[in-house]
Amino acid sequence: MARPVSTDVGVNIEELALKHALANAVKYGGRADVKAVMARVMSEAPELRPRAREVREIVERTVARVNAMAPEEQARLLGERWPEMLEERRAEQKRAGVEGLPELPGARQGAVVLRFAPNPDFVLHLGSARPAVLNYAYKLKYGGRLILRFEDTDPRTKRPLVTDDVNAYEAIREDLRWLGVRWDEEYIQSLRMEVYYEHAKRLLEMGAAYVDLCRPEEWRKYRDAARPCPHRGQSPEENLELWDRVLEGHFGEGDAVVRVKTDMAHQDPSVRDWVALRVIDTTKTPHPLVGDRYIVWPTYNFAVSVDDHLMGVTHVLRAQEHSVNTVKQSYIFRHFGWRQPVTVHFGRLKIEGAALSKSRLKSLGLRYDDETLPTLAGLRSRGVLPEAVWELVLSAGIKPSDATVSLANLFAINRKYLEPVANRYMYVSRSDAVKLIFETDRELTAAIPLHPSFRERGERVYRLGPGRVEVYVPGQDVEAGRVVRLMELANVRIDSVEGGVAHGRLHGTSLEEARRLRAPVIQWVHSPIEVCVVKPIAVGRKVEEVGLAEPALRSVSTGSYVQFVRYGFAKKRGPDLFVLCHD
Ligand code: GLU
């Protein structure tokens, strides 16, 4: 009988192999393992068992191709093609964190609709990641939908950031993908302008809004005196006629606004008849998506109210700083007879030692993915893992009080996640390096695993001697008269240290001996390569250090994480170039 071809058994082996190779690579620091991928493929499609040889060839080829990709590329591809596999990786952590979240009032299983609504005037940073993670975490908790909504209706003061270098819309999507936040629907407000116009018109018809032609300073006088301005009394017909003229472009910036009727005696003057739409001269400040097609723009509060209703949002989780906006928005819901979503305000997440406000970050004029910045892209460049951001955000939860954490807290969490992922290599900073010369009468061998807890990842073997051996070690560890243990290699007694060169003698090779002598266990490099390590110091500040490192680092793929033993965790950025994440 003829052997069935792949399609006959309904499985695309190549696809299956790619999915599991990517998932395996993402799980284990960028390198997939043929055996593990084979096992996954076979368990998903047991009907392939009789064709193991053929499958293995495909798996081997696919694993080689995947392992040649940068880890970021692997994660991106996996997230794009099989997002559920990325989910799997984070599922456990999320389950733990998500379950600990307090219940949302009135939330029903399977029926919540949440939204993350960034303004694309900048990329995401630790502060703005918080509503993204929290909204998604609640979507996971209850099931339902998460909406991604770009709130970009202020082309003048909160201009969407779209330049040759960065497109904030795409950068935010990328940030979310990296975080593992998945959304079910996406909207861009600047592409929905007719919806806002239509609702503005309905408010005017109902007598719930009016076209105000007061000069701004005049209006302020009425507002502060809690008195209606003369335009408030216009009839719907008058307002509709004025509205048409506003849309036709008869009024310039500041000459006409649409105000929603609230309560002119409201204790907070900013709530009194707030502006729902205004004129923005887009011939001067064109919108990056719609150019100068519109000159009348809804304010944040108006567009949000209309959208939250039309999109069926059931719960709004937003920062405390928006609490007055929630009050303002309540008037739109009341005028239309809509039900306002349940709103929960959480406190600010202040990060000590890192500028957080968008305006401050923007004013620094650095690339948004600079490794010294607390933008998600910056943290990513530096080597922070999304799991660490999740844990930090979930630990702050939705408490209304402000929470202060330091970058050191984030790094402590990150270390926990990097530790199993990052393979270990030896590195000595060049400015601190001392050449240690000693004689050995036998060959010394060191078989050093890439990671002591994951021996299956492999090892590299050093064979030094017999005869004269030269290695580089950190200067602060060598002192005449002391015995040091060169990690996994030998114990050496230091006889002299002078001018960056130390001479010593082999003392022994056993670890027990080193322990008995209380010899410090130190890293060493032999026939090293020179690498550059970028060390972020503070926002906008970094130094570059040249170091001597193991040649095996050459075969680490760009984008991978490594641990420089007794030094810190780093991410490979390019050939012989690393960024230090933290110690
Ligand atoms: N676009 C608003 C922001 O970025 C969303 C606030 C909200 O309504 O949740 O702060």
Side-chain angles (χ1 to χ4, degrees):
M1 207 174 80
R3 248 172 36 150
V5 292
S6 314
T7 45
D8 288 350
V9 288
V11 194
N12 184 330
I13 308 176
E14 304 264 351
E15 285 281 294
L16 210 54
L18 181 62
K19 176 170 89 174
H20 289 295
L22 286 170
N24 194 247
V26 166
K27 195 162 171 190
Y28 294 105
R31 290 196 74 77
D33 174 67
V34 173
K35 257 217 246 117
V37 175
M38 263 313 267
R40 288 294 194 139
V41 168
M42 289 304 186
S43 95
E44 185 172 335
E47 65 273 31
L48 292 175
R49 292 235 166 92
R51 298 163 63 193
R53 185 193 294 250
E54 180 195 348
V55 175
R56 193 176 173 93
E57 271 168 32
I58 296 175
V59 166
E60 276 171 1
R61 211 178 335 115
T62 311
V63 164
R65 179 154 69 91
V66 165
N67 286 352
M69 294 176 191
E72 245 119 51
E73 176 62 12
Q74 296 165 342
R76 193 192 59 74
L77 201 58
L78 186 64
E80 212 172 87
R81 302 281 312 277
W82 296 282
E84 71 284 1
M85 301 293 286
L86 268 186
E87 293 308 307
E88 208 179 277
R89 171 195 179 204
R90 296 182 184 132
E92 207 173 306
Q93 174 211 355
K94 279 179 187 166
R95 229 172 288 130
V98 166
E99 271 162 19
L101 288 171
E103 301 292 329
L104 289 181
R108 279 188 300 119
Q109 207 55 345
V112 297
V113 181
L114 297 142
R115 85 295 195 282
F116 173 55
N119 187 320
D121 60 339
F122 199 57
V123 299
L124 301 187
H125 54 84
L126 266 182
S128 48
R130 190 175 183 200
V133 167
L134 285 176
N135 277 289
Y136 183 56
Y138 271 107
K139 179 220 139 120
L140 290 181
K141 182 176 168 87
Y142 290 114
R145 286 187 290 137
L146 175 69
I147 292 166
L148 168 61
R149 189 170 69 212
F150 289 104
E151 303 199 325
D152 61 345
T153 61
D154 185 352
R156 189 177 48 204
T157 45
K158 289 197 169 180
R159 289 187 60 67
L161 176 65
V162 177
T163 65
D164 289 345
D165 294 333
V166 49
N167 174 329
Y169 298 85
E170 197 34 58
I172 288 174
R173 291 186 194 107
E174 187 59 38
D175 286 341
L176 292 175
R177 282 193 281 261
W178 175 75
L179 270 182
V181 168
R182 311 267 148 231
W183 58 102
D184 305 285
E185 287 165 37
E186 179 183 311
Y187 300 94
I188 298 181
Q189 289 187 326
S190 62
L191 305 181
R192 297 168 51 78
M193 297 288 277
E194 274 71 20
V195 173
Y196 310 120
Y197 289 173
E198 185 199 314
H199 284 83
K201 192 167 171 193
R202 279 173 55 190
L203 281 182
L204 293 167
E205 282 166 353
M206 283 188 249
Y210 56 98
V211 178
D212 177 21
L213 304 178
C214 290
R215 309 281 326 141
E217 51 296 352
E218 245 178 287
W219 157 258
R220 273 197 292 275
K221 270 190 233 145
Y222 288 110
R223 182 198 60 191
D224 294 347
R227 281 181 28 226
C229 85
H231 301 279
R232 201 182 206 258
Q234 285 156 190
S235 68
E237 292 70 31
E238 283 171 288
N239 279 318
L240 288 168
E241 212 181 296
L242 280 170
W243 170 240
D244 282 339
R245 292 183 55 211
V246 175
L247 285 179
E248 282 159 14
H250 291 284
F251 298 95
E253 282 185 8
D255 295 339
V257 293
V258 174
R259 288 188 185 281
V260 50
K261 289 187 186 168
T262 65
D263 171 3
M264 282 310 289
H266 196 283
Q267 57 180 20
D268 181 342
S270 78
V271 176
R272 298 174 191 166
D273 288 13
W274 51 269
V275 174
L277 299 106
R278 74 286 204 210
V279 174
I280 294 180
D281 184 352
T282 43
T283 57
K284 282 198 218 121
T285 52
H287 189 284
L289 299 194
V290 290
D292 60 1
R293 199 179 311 156
Y294 305 102
I295 51 156
V296 183
W297 288 84
T299 55
Y300 153 77
N301 277 308
F302 185 58
V304 162
S305 312
V306 169
D307 280 349
D308 279 349
H309 171 71
L310 295 182
M311 294 169 192
V313 172
T314 60
H315 291 78
V316 171
L317 309 183
R318 58 161 65 123
Q320 190 70 50
E321 66 204 49
H322 284 293
S323 57
V324 177
N325 290 329
T326 305
V327 174
K328 290 185 186 174
Q329 292 163 22
S330 68
Y331 288 91
I332 301 288
F333 285 88
R334 249 176 277 161
H335 284 313
F336 281 116
W338 297 335
R339 192 160 148 190
Q340 190 166 15
V342 174
T343 306
V344 175
H345 297 106
F346 50 79
R348 264 168 76 98
L349 184 61
K350 289 190 221 142
I351 312 286
E352 250 168 32
L356 257 193
S357 81
K358 264 190 213 176
S359 46
R360 164 103 199 267
L361 290 174
K362 282 199 268 186
S363 70
L364 291 168
L366 294 168
R367 276 179 59 102
Y368 72 99
D369 60 353
D370 188 274
E371 58 278 334
T372 68
L373 294 185
T375 52
L376 292 191
L379 295 170
R380 188 155 74 224
S381 309
R382 179 176 185 149
V384 170
L385 295 176
E387 289 84 344
V389 177
W390 267 80
E391 192 173 318
L392 185 83
V393 168
L394 290 183
S395 67
I398 53 164
K399 288 191 282 290
S401 51
D402 290 354
T404 305
V405 293
S406 66
L407 273 184
N409 294 138
L410 176 69
F411 295 157
I413 299 170
N414 198 53
R415 196 171 293 123
K416 195 173 75 185
Y417 291 103
L418 272 184
E419 204 283 330
V421 168
N423 287 335
R424 300 185 189 175
Y425 296 89
M426 296 190 282
Y427 166 93
V428 180
S429 125
R430 194 178 62 185
S431 60
D432 180 40
V434 161
K435 186 196 272 189
L436 171 61
I437 304 170
F438 64 96
E439 293 286 333
T440 169
D441 52 359
R442 56 197 124 139
E443 183 184 71
L444 301 174
T445 58
I448 311 174
L450 288 171
H451 196 295
S453 319
F454 303 96
R455 291 190 175 258
E456 67 281 8
R457 290 190 199 165
E459 60 184 23
R460 64 278 193 204
V461 180
Y462 287 95
R463 289 177 207 287
L464 309 182
R468 179 184 155 105
V469 172
E470 282 185 19
V471 293
Y472 292 87
V473 293
Q476 81 260 15
D477 295 319
V478 287
E479 220 175 88
R482 191 182 209 189
V483 176
V484 293
R485 173 159 182 82
L486 302 179
M487 205 169 271
E488 307 275 344
L489 183 76
N491 309 325
V492 177
R493 176 176 294 280
I494 312 289
D495 290 327
S496 66
V497 188
E498 216 184 300
V501 181
H503 287 272
R505 279 174 278 155
L506 180 69
H507 198 279
T509 52
S510 83
L511 183 59
E512 290 67 43
E513 177 192 72
R515 289 211 177 112
R516 211 173 42 245
L517 296 172
R518 295 214 164 80
V521 182
I522 66 171
Q523 75 273 37
W524 50 275
V525 283
H526 178 258
S527 301
I529 55 166
E530 275 201 356
V531 297
C532 176
V533 175
V534 178
K535 294 162 78 171
I537 307 282
V539 171
R541 275 184 55 214
K542 55 188 143 190
V543 292
E544 282 185 9
E545 177 179 284
V546 177
L548 306 175
E550 289 188 74
L553 279 165
R554 286 252 159 93
S555 51
V556 169
S557 43
T558 298
S560 297
Y561 308 93
V562 294
Q563 184 181 162
F564 289 141
V565 179
R566 298 179 70 227
Y567 190 87
F569 289 88
K571 184 172 183 182
K572 187 162 178 178
R573 165 155 310 171
D576 302 338
L577 179 62
F578 293 83
V579 181
L580 188 72
C581 191
H582 44 69
D583 58 14

